[in-house]
Amino acid sequence: MAESKAESQHSGKKGFNGATAGHGFLAQIGTHFKNWWWLYLIVFIAVVLAVVPPIVFVAYPRIAQGDINDSTLEVTQMKITDPKPDSAQLDLTQVIGTHSSFHPTLYGFNASVSLAGSSSPFSSIYVPGVQPEGETVVNITRRLQWSNETAFTEYVKAVWLNEQVQLNIYGKPELKEGGLPTITVAYNKTVTMKGLNSLKGLNITNFSVLLSQQSDGSNAKGTVNVPNPSVMTIELGNLTMDLSVDGTPIGQSHFYNMSLVPGNNVIPMTSTVNESVVASILYAKDSPYTTGILPINIRGNKTVYNGQELPYFSEALASSNLTVNVDVGKALRDLGTV
Ligand SMILES: *[C@@H]1O[C@H](CO)[C@@H](O)[C@H](O)[C@H]1NC(C)=O
Ligand SMILES: *[C@@H]1O[C@H](CO)[C@@H](O)[C@H](O)[C@H]1NC(C)=O
Ligand SMILES: *[C@@H]1O[C@H](CO)[C@@H](O)[C@H](O)[C@H]1NC(C)=O
Ligand SMILES: *[C@@H]1O[C@H](CO)[C@@H](O)[C@H](O)[C@H]1NC(C)=O
Ligand SMILES: *[C@@H]1O[C@H](CO)[C@@H](O)[C@H](O)[C@H]1NC(C)=O
Ligand SMILES: *[C@@H]1O[C@H](CO)[C@@H](O)[C@H](O)[C@H]1NC(C)=O
Ligand SMILES: *[C@@H]1O[C@H](CO)[C@@H](O)[C@H](O)[C@H]1NC(C)=O
Ligand SMILES: *[C@@H]1O[C@H](CO)[C@@H](O)[C@H](O)[C@H]1NC(C)=O
Ligand SMILES: *[C@@H]1O[C@H](CO)[C@@H](O)[C@H](O)[C@H]1NC(C)=O
Ligand SMILES: *[C@@H]1O[C@H](CO)[C@@H](O)[C@H](O)[C@H]1NC(C)=O
Ligand SMILES: *[C@@H]1O[C@H](CO)[C@@H](O)[C@H](O)[C@H]1NC(C)=O
Ligand SMILES: *[C@@H]1O[C@H](CO)[C@@H](O)[C@H](O)[C@H]1NC(C)=O
């Protein structure tokens, strides 16, 4: 009985002793911290200083740059209007696409625009700030100044002649995510756009020779169908084109206030043709054109807008080599001259 009591006492004491031991340990830790807290604080700060900067200054910029690299850029509309020799009005709609879960603020920046592969930008454009999320539509309305006319002429030529054109947009925008610091990233995107593809599919219908000369000196007219497979609207102005058959000049065509919109363009044309030269080609003894259908080569001569020649359009148009079959024989027969 006593034994058992002692036993129980012992065990009770044992339990009590154990509890004091635990309490003592905590107290020891408490004392330890009381004395050494400053060391722990220094170690904690050191760890924070060692871990946070790599996150803020290495991982965050890398993730942000990676997201910028992965983002897409598409131009859904481009209008070039009111052209002058050194500038034009630009209305652009672009779509920035991102799958990132970060939605940083991308501040407005000046981007240089160039034909992909060219080291010379032709203009600088201010891209307004955005917070890209999913697909973000950005409208840019600006007067664009050519920083390098040669480079711009190369771009216009590429648009005029090719099925596809690649435009490079480069800049160094500032970016900020939440409470993290503002950083600078590189924005380097190449957009592939459809070009005018040498006006492939252009045809001239309704060609007729006029009895009397018009006020602009023309003596023929017709309707031109110009397909524009691109998303570009281009205001060209007054165009003069040189016409020839097998290298023999036969006259010129004029297009007034010409503007190309996406899709098919039906444009009235007036022409000044040397009828005696045309007749001599059609009715020569060994003429291959007895049906009256002439393969007329059309080449740009000049482009004038509000009285000023636009060399970049003139050159692009002069670089295209277009041959259209026109039923000139019918036009002459309709006139009753032959
Ligand atoms: C972003 O792309 C550039 C090349 O365009 C490359 O040099 C860079 O390493 C890329 N950065 C990231 C974080 O993917
Ligand atoms: C962009 O360029 C214009 C003119 O050169 C300048 O006034 C403007 O401050 C620039 N903007 C930025 C965000 O760099
Ligand atoms: C951008 O421009 C297009 C076409 O002009 C218009 O339909 C659209 O509402 C504009 N979007 C924004 C965000 O301004
Ligand atoms: C303008 O662009 C042309 C063609 O891309 C290039 O050869 C020339 O060096 C550029 N001029 C300047 C001043 O950058
Ligand atoms: C942009 O990227 C292209 C292709 O990735 C590269 O050739 C070009 O040098 C880059 N531009 C700049 C200014 O870094
Ligand atoms: C001329 O082009 C238009 C539009 O592409 C087309 O509808 C028409 O049939 C063509 N006419 C001739 C005679 O080829
Ligand atoms: C063809 O020309 C005639 C006479 O100028 C005009 O009445 C007709 O509308 C024109 N047709 C087309 C398709 O342009
Ligand atoms: C071209 O536009 C000008 C100014 O808008 C106008 O005065 C002229 O009559 C137009 N010419 C033709 C042929 O449409
Ligand atoms: C047409 O061409 C012939 C031969 O080149 C030339 O003698 C004549 O003056 C030209 N006529 C007109 C109206 O230009
Ligand atoms: C444009 O036409 C004029 C007059 O017909 C001619 O003298 C000139 O050489 C032509 N220019 C080009 C680039 O073909
Ligand atoms: C085109 O020429 C016509 C007649 O000379 C003129 O009235 C019109 O203003 C010109 N259009 C442009 C865009 O310069
Ligand atoms: C235009 O193309 C034809 C063949 O398509 C070629 O015979 C002619 O020499 C070319 N002319 C020019 C000026 O390039």
Side-chain angles (χ1 to χ4, degrees):
M1 178 93 172
E3 178 73 39
S4 90
K5 197 182 175 192
E7 182 67 48
S8 86
Q9 266 181 350
H10 183 81
S11 69
K13 196 173 184 213
K14 198 183 189 180
F16 180 69
N17 271 352
T20 16
H23 197 256
F25 180 63
L26 280 182
Q28 269 177 10
I29 291 177
T31 314
H32 177 79
F33 265 105
K34 236 178 232 164
N35 293 332
W36 297 97
W37 62 270
W38 52 273
L39 180 65
Y40 282 93
L41 185 63
I42 288 170
V43 169
F44 176 75
I45 289 171
V47 167
V48 166
L49 285 181
V51 170
V52 172
I55 291 175
V56 172
F57 299 110
V58 179
Y60 158 56
R62 193 175 293 161
I63 291 168
Q65 181 66 63
D67 284 349
I68 293 291
N69 282 13
D70 292 342
S71 71
T72 56
L73 180 65
E74 195 194 346
V75 172
T76 54
Q77 178 191 279
M78 186 191 252
K79 282 189 188 172
I80 293 176
T81 53
D82 190 25
K84 290 201 166 69
D86 64 342
S87 62
Q89 176 68 27
L90 174 80
D91 291 273
L92 185 80
T93 301
Q94 62 180 23
V95 182
I96 297 174
T98 172
H99 298 300
S100 173
S101 48
F102 291 104
H103 305 299
T105 302
L106 200 59
Y107 293 102
F109 66 106
N110 286 324
S112 56
V113 190
S114 59
L115 186 60
S118 164
S119 55
S120 314
F122 61 76
S123 192
S124 170
I125 182 174
Y126 181 77
V127 179
V130 282
Q131 193 156 11
E133 187 167 352
E135 306 230 296
T136 312
V137 177
V138 183
N139 282 345
I140 299 176
T141 298
R142 281 276 180 291
R143 183 129 200 119
L144 266 200
Q145 204 86 21
W146 321 133
S147 51
N148 180 331
E149 280 176 41
T150 315
F152 184 64
T153 303
E154 279 172 9
Y155 169 68
V156 176
K157 250 192 222 177
V159 167
W160 198 263
L161 300 175
N162 299 300
E163 202 172 338
Q164 289 198 326
V165 183
Q166 290 192 315
L167 192 64
N168 181 262
I169 296 174
Y170 181 85
K172 295 203 135 191
E174 291 195 315
L175 175 152
K176 187 171 165 62
E177 169 77 43
L180 291 166
T182 300
I183 53 168
T184 301
V185 288
Y187 189 86
N188 182 357
K189 291 284 161 207
T190 296
V191 191
T192 301
M193 298 176 70
K194 281 189 169 163
L196 293 171
N197 199 16
S198 302
L199 307 187
K200 197 176 258 167
L202 178 146
N203 66 30
I204 296 174
T205 53
N206 222 7
F207 184 77
S208 62
V209 176
L210 307 168
L211 271 175
S212 56
Q213 216 175 52
Q214 304 300 291
S215 58
D216 65 352
S218 64
N219 56 3
K221 64 175 189 171
T223 305
V224 187
N225 282 294
V226 186
N228 174 2
S230 77
V231 296
M232 284 179 251
T233 296
I234 309 175
E235 198 172 16
L236 291 155
N238 287 343
L239 266 61
T240 305
M241 313 289 274
D242 289 329
L243 310 176
S244 62
V245 175
D246 294 336
T248 306
I250 61 163
Q252 287 185 324
S253 280
H254 307 278
F255 299 85
Y256 293 103
N257 298 349
M258 184 163 158
S259 196
L260 288 178
V261 298
N264 194 42
N265 293 265
V266 179
I267 299 162
M269 163 195 92
T270 66
S271 301
T272 308
V273 290
N274 185 320
E275 287 169 42
S276 58
V277 173
V278 170
S280 71
I281 293 172
L282 274 179
Y283 308 115
K285 258 196 204 117
D286 54 351
S287 170
Y289 312 114
T290 47
T291 55
I293 295 173
L294 279 186
I296 299 182
N297 185 274
I298 305 176
R299 245 176 94 96
N301 179 284
K302 68 176 175 195
T303 306
V304 177
Y305 191 90
N306 283 346
Q308 287 183 296
E309 182 169 0
L310 305 173
Y312 46 91
F313 284 153
S314 294
E315 249 186 74
L317 267 63
S319 71
S320 70
N321 180 8
L322 203 68
T323 299
V324 193
N325 289 322
V326 181
D327 200 344
V328 179
K330 181 182 179 293
L332 289 175
R333 282 195 302 279
D334 287 350
L335 198 63
T337 53
V338 281

